[in-house]
Amino acid sequence: MFLALAGLMLAAFLAATPLPMQSEAVFVGLQLAGSAPVVPMILLAGLANTAGSAVTWAMGRGARTLEHRLRLPAEKLARAEVWYRRWGKLSLLISWAPLGDVICLLAGAFRVPLWQFLLIVGFAKTARYAVLAGLTAGVISWGWT
């Protein structure tokens, strides 16, 4: 059980960084195999995925002070800032979705306080794993048969 949870945490952490990784398949596989109780799986995957997002946030935080490292034209950076100022912290609720890494990077670049970032992203990412667990267990259904 320990190795299963450690592997899940590693997959969840890496999936939240710019590295190409998917943790959902690992999560579902472990759940279907009964490798660990589902509640610790949800909590540990959510925690590890949030920690990986914090790394991406930190990358954005550092890159913003060195704008040339972002290698974005000034107008694209300005457009991103306008978009982020409009949707800002609310956009962190979809940080689990494709392009979520970009949202986390922008949160760091535009100086979202770390405690707010962790609170919102932690909720969103843990809720995603809870929904995934419910779908896998058949507790939640989209109504497709």
Side-chain angles (χ1 to χ4, degrees):
M1 179 172 80
F2 172 78
L3 286 178
L5 290 174
L8 174 61
M9 289 182 70
L10 180 61
F13 178 85
L14 292 175
T17 67
L19 296 173
M21 177 70 180
Q22 295 294 322
S23 61
E24 293 83 4
V26 175
F27 186 94
V28 169
L30 292 175
Q31 183 179 352
L32 290 174
S35 299
V38 74
V39 172
M41 284 178 54
I42 293 167
L43 295 175
L44 291 174
L47 178 68
N49 207 243
T50 302
S53 291
V55 168
T56 304
W57 175 91
M59 290 169 63
R61 182 85 178 205
R64 181 66 175 164
T65 57
L66 304 168
E67 289 179 14
H68 65 278
R69 287 196 176 180
L70 285 177
R71 293 195 173 114
L72 285 177
E75 63 274 1
K76 283 191 178 188
L77 190 58
R79 240 183 312 154
E81 190 161 5
V82 167
W83 179 89
Y84 199 81
R85 295 287 176 222
R86 181 174 182 188
W87 299 106
K89 294 174 194 159
L90 281 178
S91 68
L92 291 171
L93 290 172
I94 59 167
S95 60
W96 55 268
L99 298 179
D101 295 341
V102 174
I103 295 170
C104 294
L105 187 80
L106 288 173
F110 298 135
R111 303 289 197 242
V112 171
L114 182 60
W115 73 270
Q116 291 177 359
F117 175 84
L118 292 174
L119 187 67
I120 297 167
V121 170
F123 169 77
K125 297 215 175 211
T126 304
R128 183 256 321 251
Y129 286 110
V131 169
L132 183 60
L135 288 168
T136 302
V139 175
I140 301 172
S141 170
W142 295 114
W144 302 325
T145 48

